[in-house]
């Protein structure tokens, strides 16, 4: 059990989310959260009338602290998991929630804001996109403070702040975290380079070239992931009306390719990133407009609350990171959820790096596992619900 997050005599009990994850050794806040909270409190930057925007709060350490006041807090995240984590932690600490407003990374920013607290995201593309959005929305009077682990704030990171916002300075490091202060200038803003678009060469079973559009925080936004490339070579041939889930769909390349080969399949695209789901939807609309009606697009934590148990096939290229932590709990959850959602005889087909040994998990959950293809880096595996 962790010690609580104690700041200014307030004890907050914060969980990582989802709560029931295998790796319990990681805590739900970091030194940059602590530094931001202490700094804002010491400087008295928040009072009952302050309107604050918090970007990329991971599990609520910032939101929970600043919701202790009666001010308005706008929480912006691309991660559905983080949003759920923040809600969970506010609830378990019995904190008021009427002053908290949740926005996704694709929403317009709220206006008349006094303070932006910015947790620097791992993705430099998301950083760029969000800074451009901030500069486009706010004036020079905005107070802007960012925070991260000192080792993740490189001079190249500071240049991104300087380029997109204005004069940038940093604090001393405290507990290996650092703050970044920006004074917005009045120079004109840069145009967002996102969504980025690349061409997907035809891969069996698809015979057409596709144009793949990617919002800033989408996995493989520059080019096709190597694992996905290998996976595409051994997608199964499916019958008409087959019900398929593309789990952790990213930009939707797996489901899109399957749908091109079997235009009467029904594909449900699921991802925890709002930008991923928006990209997957845009990619079906652009490349297979006649099939959009057979597709569903859902932001979700794996297959939470999908209980129909009538799915024929789940395709999955699982993640092995949650934020900055390397973890296999999402793969476990994806495989367990797939097992539940499949009908009897249904198949989970996955791709993974060989060293991740996903066959052990599949054997444990499904009681069977077949190797479909392998090379020196990847393995494509299939497990059937019996
Ligand atoms: C390795 S990427 C695969 C993306 C895409 N299918 C491909 O092959 O290029 C894994 C995806 O899983 C998503 N993801 C991570 N955690 C998730 C969760 N708890 N529920 C749903 N999707 C999740 C990530 O956002 C990411 O898009």
């Amino acid at each position: 059990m962790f010690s609580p997050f104690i700041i200014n005599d307030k004890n907050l009990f914060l969980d990582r989310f989802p709560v029931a994850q295998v790796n319990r050794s990681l805590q739900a806040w970091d030194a940059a959260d602590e530094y931001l909270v202490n700094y804002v409190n010491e400087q008295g930057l928040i009072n009952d009338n302050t309107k604050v925007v918090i970007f990329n709060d991971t599990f609520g350490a910032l939101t929970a602290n600043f919701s202790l006041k009666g001010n308005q807090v706008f929480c912006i995240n691309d991660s559905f998991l983080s949003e759920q984590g923040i809600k969970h932690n506010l609830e378990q600490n019995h904190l008021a929630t009427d002053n908290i407003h949740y926005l996704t990374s694709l929403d317009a920013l709220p206006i008349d804001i006094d303070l932006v607290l910015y947790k620097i995201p791992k993705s430099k593309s998301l950083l760029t996109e969000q800074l451009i959005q901030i500069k486009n929305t706010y004036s020079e009077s905005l107070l802007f403070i960012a925070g991260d682990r000192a080792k993740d704030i490189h001079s190249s990171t500071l240049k991104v702040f300087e380029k997109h916002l204005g004069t940038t300075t940093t604090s001393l490091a405290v507990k290996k975290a650092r703050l970044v202060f920006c004074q917005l200038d009045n120079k004109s803003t840069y145009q967002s380079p996102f969504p980025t678009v690349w061409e997907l060469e035809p891969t069996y079973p698809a015979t057409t070239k596709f144009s793949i559009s990617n919002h800033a925080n989408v996995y493989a936004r520059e080019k096709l992931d190597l694992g996905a490339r290998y996976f595409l070579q051994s997608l199964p041939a499916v019958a008409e009306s087959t019900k398929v889930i593309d789990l952790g769909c990213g930009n939707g390349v797996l489901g899109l390719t399957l749908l091109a080969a079997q235009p009467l399949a029904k594909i449900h695209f699921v991802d925890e990133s709002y930008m991923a789901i928006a990209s997957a939807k845009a990619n079906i609309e652009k490349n297979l407009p006649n099939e959009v009606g057979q597709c569903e697009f859902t932001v979700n934590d794996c297959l939470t609350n999908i209980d129909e148990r009538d799915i024929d096939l789940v395709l999955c290229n699982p993640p092995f990171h949650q934020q900055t932590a390397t973890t296999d709990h999402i793969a476990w959850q994806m495989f367990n959820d797939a097992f539940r959602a499949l009908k009897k005889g249904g198949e989970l087909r996955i791709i993974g790096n060989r060293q991740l040994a996903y066959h052990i998990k599949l054997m444990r959950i499904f009681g069977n596992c077949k190797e479909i293809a392998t090379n020196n880096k990847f393995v494509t595996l299939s497990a059937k619900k019996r």
Side-chain angles (χ1 to χ4, degrees):
M1 190 68 193
F2 292 120
S3 50
F5 183 39
I6 305 177
I7 296 229
N8 292 344
D9 301 331
K10 287 161 197 146
N11 284 10
L12 291 171
F13 287 88
L14 302 177
D15 286 320
R16 290 178 73 82
F17 197 86
V19 177
Q21 53 186 264
V22 184
N23 192 346
R24 301 285 297 160
S25 62
L26 298 163
Q27 69 179 23
W29 70 91
D30 63 19
D33 291 318
E34 260 180 85
Y35 202 168
L36 276 165
V37 171
N38 280 330
Y39 183 85
V40 168
N41 286 334
E42 278 161 24
Q43 300 293 316
L45 299 181
I46 293 199
N47 61 44
D48 279 357
N49 301 317
T50 317
K51 281 171 88 178
V52 190
V53 176
I54 300 175
F55 279 85
N56 313 319
D57 190 9
T58 323
F59 298 111
L62 299 176
T63 312
N65 263 285
F66 299 121
S67 77
L68 299 174
K69 319 234 173 202
N71 54 337
Q72 296 298 306
V73 179
F74 297 85
C75 258
I76 298 181
N77 233 308
D78 186 49
S79 165
F80 177 79
L81 266 179
S82 290
E83 198 181 281
Q84 298 302 300
I86 295 168
K87 288 178 180 166
H88 163 85
N89 282 321
L90 290 178
E91 196 183 320
Q92 73 162 355
N93 287 282
H94 310 291
L95 295 169
T97 52
D98 350 341
N99 58 333
I100 317 278
H101 314 277
Y102 295 94
L103 297 172
T104 80
S105 50
L106 295 160
D107 290 324
L109 299 184
I111 51 166
D112 296 333
I113 289 301
D114 306 292
L115 174 64
V116 166
L117 296 177
Y118 189 85
K119 252 334 249 311
I120 303 177
K122 203 173 143 208
S123 154
K124 288 288 167 279
S125 311
L126 184 61
L127 171 68
T128 302
E129 175 75 358
Q130 289 179 327
L131 296 187
I132 291 175
Q133 201 189 12
I134 288 167
K135 184 72 183 303
N136 275 330
T137 312
Y138 302 123
S139 70
E140 291 138 72
S141 63
L142 180 79
L143 204 52
F144 177 96
I145 311 170
D148 201 355
R149 298 184 299 188
K151 67 173 180 160
D152 294 329
I153 304 180
H154 309 284
S155 54
S156 61
T157 319
L158 297 175
K159 279 190 188 139
V160 179
F161 282 98
E162 189 92 34
K163 172 175 172 184
H164 292 292
L165 293 187
T167 306
T168 298
T169 51
T170 54
S171 70
L172 294 173
V174 173
K175 289 194 192 167
K176 299 188 180 162
R178 204 181 280 284
L179 302 183
V180 176
F181 306 94
C182 293
Q183 171 60 59
L184 270 62
D185 62 27
N186 58 5
K187 290 191 200 145
S188 53
T189 50
Y190 287 85
Q191 213 184 337
S192 169
F194 303 102
T196 44
V197 178
W198 47 263
E199 296 228 308
L200 176 64
E201 295 298 325
T203 330
Y204 177 82
T207 51
T208 340
K209 236 183 202 183
F210 296 123
S211 156
I212 305 295
S213 169
N214 304 268
H215 283 287
N217 199 33
V218 174
Y219 182 82
R221 73 197 147 266
E222 304 290 343
K223 59 180 184 348
L224 182 62
D225 170 56
L226 286 179
R229 180 182 299 280
Y230 190 65
F231 198 23
L232 287 178
Q233 291 165 15
S234 32
L235 289 185
V238 298
E240 293 177 3
S241 303
T242 301
K243 285 185 145 190
V244 182
I245 293 179
D246 182 346
L247 179 53
C249 63
N251 50 29
V253 279
L254 304 179
L256 172 76
T257 306
L258 196 87
L259 190 59
Q262 175 47 273
L264 294 175
K266 296 185 167 75
I267 318 257
H268 191 169
F269 293 86
V270 178
D271 203 287
E272 75 99 25
S273 152
Y274 288 98
M275 287 187 168
I277 288 299
S279 303
K281 187 155 187 257
N283 288 329
I284 298 295
E285 283 168 351
K286 168 105 205 283
N287 295 291
L288 298 173
N290 297 333
E291 280 79 42
V292 174
Q294 289 140 241
C295 297
E296 251 185 277
F297 303 89
T298 308
V299 177
N300 198 354
D301 173 17
C302 301
L303 301 177
T304 303
N305 298 328
I306 296 183
D307 292 321
E308 281 78 5
R309 295 164 201 256
D310 62 350
I311 302 301
D312 299 289
L313 173 67
V314 177
L315 299 175
C316 185
N317 177 6
F320 42 91
H321 285 106
Q322 184 179 22
Q323 313 295 349
T324 48
T326 303
T327 166
D328 70 348
H329 79 270
I330 301 172
W332 270 117
Q333 193 184 337
M334 284 184 163
F335 301 165
N336 274 308
D337 282 10
F339 182 79
R340 192 190 67 244
L342 286 168
K343 67 180 192 193
K344 272 206 165 146
E347 175 186 358
L348 167 64
R349 193 169 287 207
I350 66 155
I351 178 82
N353 277 38
R354 286 169 65 95
Q355 88 267 11
L356 293 170
Y358 284 145
H359 64 280
I360 298 173
K361 291 184 173 57
L362 295 183
M363 279 304 291
R364 195 160 321 155
I365 298 166
F366 286 76
N368 65 88
C369 174
K370 188 171 152 200
E371 191 177 284
I372 302 290
T374 187
N375 63 13
N376 55 7
K377 186 146 191 227
F378 298 108
V379 57
T380 303
L381 299 170
S382 161
K384 295 242 167 97
K385 182 166 173 178
R386 298 213 166 111

